[in-house]
Amino acid sequence: MLSQVYRSGFQSFNQRLLPWVQSTAVSRSHRGQRSAIRHVRSWSNIPFITVPLSRTHGKSFAHRSELKHAKRIVVKLGSAVVTRGDECGLALGRLASIVEQVSVLQNQGREMMLVTSGAVAFGKQRLRHEILLSQSVRQALHSGQNQLKDMAIPVLEARACAAAGQSGLMALYEAMFTQYSICAAQILVTNLDFHDEQKRRNLNGTLHELLRMNIVPIVNTNDAVVPPAEPNSDLQGVISVKDNDSLAARLAVEMKTDLLIVLSDVEGLFDSPPGSDDAKLIDIFYPGDQQSVTFGTKSRVGMGGMEAKVKAALWALQGGTSVVIANGTHPKVSGHVITDIVEGKKVGTFFSEVKPAGPTVEQQGEMARSGGRMLATLEPEQRAEIIYHLADLLTDQQEEILLANKKDLEEAQGRLVGPLLKRLSLSTSKLNSLAIGLRQIAASSQDSVGRVLRRTRIAKNLELEQVTVPIGVLLVIFESRPDCLPQVAALAIATGNGLLLKGGKEAAHSNRILHLLTQEALSIHGVKEAVQLVNTREEVEDLCRLDKMIDLIIPRGSSQLVRDIQKAAKGIPVMGHSEGICHMYVDSEASVDKVTRLVRDSKCEYPAACNALETLLIHRNLLRTPLFDQIIDMLRVEQVKIHAGPKFASYLTFSPSEVKSLRTEYGDLELCIEVVDSVQEAIDHIHKYGSSHTDVIVTENEKTAEFFLQHVDSACVFWNTSTRFSDGYRFGLGAEVGISTSRIHARGPVGLEGLLTTKWLLRGQDHVVSDFSEHGSLKYLHENLPVPQRNTN
């Protein structure tokens, strides 16, 4: 009776497993994508999507960004990935996620193969149930009691576990892949299958035939019969199949695979054992770098270890297959780790045979950090001297700078629209203005770092100071505008910050010469490395993940760029504005002589700028007046396309195209016009549809103007001026790193002050907190002390 109970219980466990796997797989995030895939998938029409995946095998990919072109991919799942924490059974949710990612890639037209562990763990789970069942029956017969006692489980032999678990493991994969209309096939191999020429040809033919039929081969060592690994057997270029790492590498090379993804329980390869002090993840590993790595112990499950993985990876790389080792167990990334790798994202350790001539971006970050700290220790006069020298170089080397810029403009013809070409273009007048701005920064930087903001006497001989210090390392990402580079560099130098610069490829020649001149100026005081230009093929999203190297990200470019960076930043503050939806409100008491000048300058002087006018609000009383007609005539002459707001359109018989959204930044010769009944309605409109960038009122009524200035909650609020004055140079800051619309730290044009933070300095004489307790001998004074005057010269 008891035997039947236990057997029926174990059978019900197996019966419950398949529906759970099906429901888990169906509930994953790509449900909608899968339903679309099922409609287009056809066995008679393979591949079924157009992707540039074909490539000639023979040489591995040199850069991560090329991984998106991988056609044939092997994914190796280590024991720690597929096994539960108790080492008895499988991590079903994790496996379902991995199968989903493999299926998505398979349904993109790629050829996917799996090398999997897990048979031993699954078999151990099944055999333990059988042993418990058998022991409980014997106990019941001998004692006559139905109550179970604690029973010792004998040590289970691995080969027996593998034999018992392999069929269940394969059934599990079959059930999971079926959810995506994908068929899987099992292949068990031993060392002999690769060393016996006939068996090797058979294996190769089987795998190619399965791939041709769009079936996912699932390969595993035949652990039920495999002999123990022979020591030092990896000789003469032939790697033995002694664990699944070497199996995956052997399979990848044998099948001329483009990419091998090795999933383990660590983020990738570290220069020392993970978890140890100062252990750093290696982003890209090159052959010959083994000497710089200290390997730790292997995983408590599985046969390999990181040293075995690296050895297998280098062997596969030599055979022409690219390799990435990554974490397949982390709950926050395991759900997309495989697809992220194939998309070229910075995940795990990428093995490459092509070593770049220059430093990696991680090395550049470290150089910017150490160089910035040295820069901060210079005397203010020395930092100013660097900036003055850079200003001189901009004028002295104009011919060379403009020649480089000409190359950029020639290469950009036909690829960039007019406003972006204007941003890209440099001229003698621009360089002269740049030099003037840099000299302003140098003059105002004398008292930026180390300035005392507050002094307090805490107690006798215990004094506290709050002083300004650099933020640390800045990452500034900018598009098109090469003049941004010396401006930002000067601000970073003046404030003692290290700087990483990532410019657009459209300005590559200009940025290169301007960066060289910057480093030449820095060299006069030995801090050349404080400003780094990122020239590697790093994606912006990957740069935004370097939270241990970067303290602040400042994007300068389109609103889309800013939004993308704000979304991609992981733990790093971003200072910038997502959009520049700037308004101008023309009041009923506006001057006829001023309005058209202000509107023309705000909209037409530089329509691509973030401080250009996008929405013109007009008081209702001005409709059908000479002033209104003058505005419309001027816009028509300037070829500005007009979009009508809903209220404005209701006043017109034949109106311009009604605006699709009142929250639009056009960045071109386009403008929205809307009608309001009062200054309060104008303010309400700005708060509802604006981006808190720059907003203007045009009126001769001072009371109305002050009401507008006080009540509009934007970074810049003007009266009777162009919106284009919202600029660091025009504000007298010398330059800016950008416009900030946030409400913490800096706001508006960000100059020197916005690139500083503070620290507290406390000077005492053997003071301890216990002396200030209720029964202590000292009392707090908290006296404000005079602050040294700033140097304004």
Side-chain angles (χ1 to χ4, degrees):
M1 181 65 181
L2 188 60
S3 173
Q4 292 177 350
V5 170
Y6 272 86
R7 291 192 184 277
S8 63
F10 186 67
Q11 288 169 357
S12 66
F13 166 80
N14 285 328
Q15 290 167 356
R16 290 196 305 269
L17 182 62
L18 180 58
W20 183 92
V21 169
Q22 293 172 335
S23 64
T24 300
V26 170
S27 67
R28 303 299 297 179
S29 61
H30 291 282
R31 180 183 295 165
Q33 183 176 355
R34 288 199 304 276
S35 62
I37 289 170
R38 286 173 179 168
H39 283 93
V40 299
R41 179 178 170 80
S42 169
W43 289 106
S44 61
N45 184 24
I46 302 171
F48 51 85
I49 63 171
T50 304
V51 184
L53 296 176
S54 60
R55 67 182 283 261
T56 303
H57 185 82
K59 194 162 185 65
S60 61
F61 294 119
H63 305 282
R64 282 184 186 270
S65 59
E66 298 171 336
L67 295 180
K68 61 175 68 75
H69 302 299
K71 166 75 172 176
R72 185 172 290 173
I73 302 170
V74 171
V75 178
K76 183 263 177 179
L77 309 179
S79 299
V81 175
V82 299
T83 304
R84 280 187 346 210
D86 61 3
E87 304 175 32
C88 186
L90 303 179
L92 296 177
R94 199 182 297 149
L95 271 182
S97 175
I98 289 169
V99 167
E100 178 183 43
Q101 295 172 76
V102 171
S103 300
V104 167
L105 295 173
Q106 180 82 3
N107 283 324
Q108 288 177 356
R110 304 179 199 268
E111 297 174 342
M112 304 298 297
M113 291 180 278
L114 278 184
V115 174
T116 181
S117 303
V120 173
F122 204 2
K124 183 186 289 187
Q125 184 182 29
R126 297 183 67 178
L127 291 180
R128 289 182 76 174
H129 276 278
E130 291 296 328
I131 291 169
L132 285 171
L133 172 63
S134 176
Q135 289 183 354
S136 64
V137 171
R138 286 198 300 272
Q139 279 196 351
L141 291 174
H142 285 90
S143 64
Q145 299 175 0
N146 290 327
Q147 186 176 2
L148 297 179
K149 298 180 180 178
D150 292 336
M151 295 173 286
I153 304 295
V155 176
L156 299 174
E157 204 275 329
R159 291 192 186 92
C161 290
Q166 188 65 46
S167 61
L169 177 65
M170 194 61 204
L172 187 65
Y173 276 120
E174 285 280 5
M176 288 180 171
F177 276 113
T178 299
Q179 300 302 312
Y180 304 92
S181 301
I182 289 176
C183 182
Q186 174 183 247
I187 297 180
L188 297 177
V189 297
T190 64
N191 211 17
L192 189 62
D193 295 312
F194 288 98
H195 291 279
D196 181 280
E197 190 58 34
Q198 183 59 49
K199 289 177 178 290
R200 179 179 170 185
R201 282 199 299 269
N202 292 344
L203 175 62
N204 192 295
T206 300
L207 288 167
H208 276 95
E209 184 64 14
L210 291 173
L211 294 176
R212 188 188 69 81
M213 293 189 294
N214 209 32
I215 295 172
V216 175
I218 300 177
V219 186
N220 196 0
T221 51
N222 192 347
D223 292 323
V225 299
V226 69
E230 297 178 17
N232 304 318
S233 59
D234 297 334
L235 302 174
Q236 300 171 350
V238 178
I239 192 166
S240 68
V241 180
K242 60 183 180 181
D243 55 49
N244 275 350
D245 294 316
S246 55
L247 168 60
R250 190 74 171 87
L251 179 69
V253 174
E254 178 71 23
M255 294 299 294
K256 295 181 170 59
T257 301
D258 301 318
L259 173 62
L260 167 61
I261 299 174
V262 179
L263 296 183
S264 182
D265 58 350
V266 291
E267 277 67 33
L269 177 61
F270 288 77
D271 58 0
S272 55
S276 61
D277 292 340
D278 301 324
K280 293 180 181 177
L281 178 66
I282 299 173
D283 172 44
I284 305 177
F285 190 82
Y286 305 98
D289 283 356
Q290 296 95 311
Q291 305 301 323
S292 62
V293 178
T294 302
F295 294 101
T297 58
K298 68 177 185 177
S299 168
R300 57 189 174 82
V301 291
M303 298 179 61
M306 188 53 70
E307 190 168 8
K309 289 175 177 55
V310 171
K311 192 173 184 180
L314 290 173
W315 193 87
L317 189 69
Q318 186 180 15
T321 296
S322 296
V323 183
V324 175
I325 297 177
N327 192 336
T329 64
H330 196 293
K332 290 186 178 179
V333 297
S334 60
H336 46 80
V337 60
I338 299 173
T339 50
D340 279 355
I341 290 170
V342 176
E343 288 172 10
K345 294 183 180 178
K346 206 165 191 175
V347 178
T349 300
F350 173 63
F351 286 71
S352 174
E353 291 188 296
V354 181
K355 200 162 189 174
T360 65
V361 69
E362 288 81 7
Q363 291 169 332
Q364 285 187 293
E366 291 174 356
M367 288 189 287
R369 174 79 69 191
S370 59
R373 286 173 175 162
M374 291 176 61
L375 187 64
T377 63
L378 296 179
E379 294 297 325
E381 294 78 11
Q382 293 175 304
R383 288 192 294 270
E385 188 180 353
I386 294 172
I387 301 170
Y388 279 126
H389 187 48
L390 178 56
D392 292 339
L393 288 172
L394 291 178
T395 53
D396 295 343
Q397 304 292 328
Q398 279 189 12
E399 186 175 338
E400 192 174 351
I401 295 169
L402 294 177
L403 185 62
N405 186 244
K406 183 181 178 183
K407 290 181 183 178
D408 287 327
L409 290 170
E410 288 172 351
E411 293 175 6
Q413 289 294 332
R415 294 191 297 111
L416 296 181
V417 295
L420 291 179
L421 279 173
K422 188 176 180 181
R423 283 188 177 192
L424 178 60
S425 174
L426 293 175
S427 63
T428 300
S429 61
K430 265 192 179 182
L431 292 175
N432 289 335
S433 295
L434 264 177
I436 293 170
L438 263 58
R439 293 187 179 100
Q440 289 179 350
I441 293 171
S444 60
S445 70
Q446 299 288 331
D447 197 24
S448 58
V449 179
R451 177 164 53 90
V452 179
L453 301 179
R454 178 185 304 178
R455 293 179 66 220
T456 304
R457 179 176 288 119
I458 304 295
K460 185 180 179 181
N461 295 325
L462 184 63
E463 293 188 1
L464 179 69
E465 283 185 346
Q466 184 185 21
V467 300
T468 57
V469 293
I471 288 175
V473 175
L474 313 176
L475 168 62
V476 178
I477 303 169
F478 57 101
E479 295 176 321
S480 298
R481 292 180 52 182
D483 53 330
C484 174
L485 192 152
Q487 288 178 334
V488 172
L491 288 168
I493 293 166
T495 52
N497 284 290
L499 180 62
L500 285 174
L501 292 158
K502 175 67 172 175
K505 60 183 178 182
E506 67 280 355
H509 299 294
S510 305
N511 289 336
R512 190 175 300 114
I513 180 62
L514 291 171
H515 178 246
L516 287 173
L517 295 177
T518 302
Q519 290 199 311
E520 182 179 337
L522 287 162
S523 297
I524 65 175
H525 287 297
V527 286
K528 176 182 176 181
E529 294 181 341
V531 176
Q532 299 285 326
L533 180 64
V534 179
N535 286 317
T536 57
R537 297 173 60 162
E538 299 290 336
E539 297 295 332
V540 168
E541 186 174 346
D542 292 329
L543 290 173
C544 292
R545 290 194 179 103
L546 301 176
D547 58 315
K548 291 182 174 61
M549 299 179 183
I550 297 166
D551 299 296
L552 179 66
I553 301 175
I554 305 173
R556 292 193 64 172
S558 66
S559 57
Q560 187 60 51
L561 170 73
V562 179
R563 281 195 296 269
D564 289 345
I565 290 172
Q566 288 173 331
K567 183 178 178 181
K570 306 296 183 184
I572 309 175
V574 178
M575 184 165 64
H577 64 280
S578 57
E579 293 174 307
I581 306 175
C582 302
H583 294 76
M584 180 178 287
Y585 165 57
V586 182
D587 185 54
S588 59
E589 299 181 64
S591 166
V592 175
D593 298 330
K594 295 176 182 177
V595 172
T596 52
R597 272 174 50 83
L598 296 177
V599 174
R600 181 190 286 111
D601 190 78
S602 297
K603 178 72 259 184
C604 308
E605 197 267 341
Y606 194 177
C610 64
N611 56 14
L613 177 64
E614 304 294 5
T615 298
L616 182 64
L617 301 175
I618 297 179
H619 194 282
R620 179 167 53 89
N621 293 346
L622 296 178
L623 292 178
R624 300 185 180 90
T625 65
L627 172 58
F628 178 77
D629 293 338
Q630 285 183 24
I631 296 172
I632 298 301
D633 289 342
M634 180 274 295
L635 293 173
R636 187 177 294 114
V637 169
E638 296 290 343
Q639 299 183 328
V640 177
K641 182 179 180 181
I642 298 174
H643 301 276
K647 290 185 69 175
F648 181 43
S650 68
Y651 284 101
L652 303 175
T653 306
F654 300 99
S655 68
S657 60
E658 186 169 341
V659 69
K660 294 180 180 178
S661 171
L662 291 167
R663 291 190 182 95
T664 302
E665 181 182 13
Y666 298 102
D668 206 344
L669 288 174
E670 297 183 55
L671 180 69
C672 172
I673 297 180
E674 182 58 306
V675 174
V676 293
D677 292 334
S678 65
V679 64
Q680 184 60 59
E681 189 174 332
I683 293 170
D684 293 341
H685 180 103
I686 290 168
H687 288 165
K688 185 174 182 179
Y689 300 108
S691 60
S692 300
H693 191 295
T694 302
D695 299 293
V696 176
I697 182 172
V698 183
T699 184
E700 295 304 302
N701 188 313
E702 183 177 353
K703 184 178 179 181
T704 302
E706 289 298 328
F707 183 84
F708 184 91
L709 293 174
Q710 297 302 320
H711 286 80
V712 171
D713 184 19
S714 296
C716 299
V717 189
F718 301 161
W719 172 23
N720 285 351
T721 70
S722 167
T723 60
R724 297 276 291 118
F725 278 103
S726 181
D727 175 84
Y729 173 73
R730 297 178 184 118
F731 276 16
L733 304 177
E736 65 183 43
V737 291
I739 306 286
S740 173
T741 55
S742 65
R743 285 170 170 77
I744 56 173
H745 195 52
R747 197 173 184 208
V750 180
L752 296 177
E753 301 287 341
L755 299 182
L756 295 169
T757 185
T758 64
K759 69 178 179 182
W760 298 88
L761 306 177
L762 185 61
R763 298 178 177 91
Q765 294 181 3
D766 194 31
H767 288 83
V768 293
V769 170
S770 59
D771 286 343
F772 295 86
S773 63
E774 184 178 354
H775 302 292
S777 59
L778 296 177
K779 301 294 182 184
Y780 289 111
L781 299 177
H782 292 152
E783 296 176 0
N784 291 329
L785 299 175
V787 173
Q789 293 298 309
R790 294 185 61 182
N791 179 10
T792 57
N793 294 325

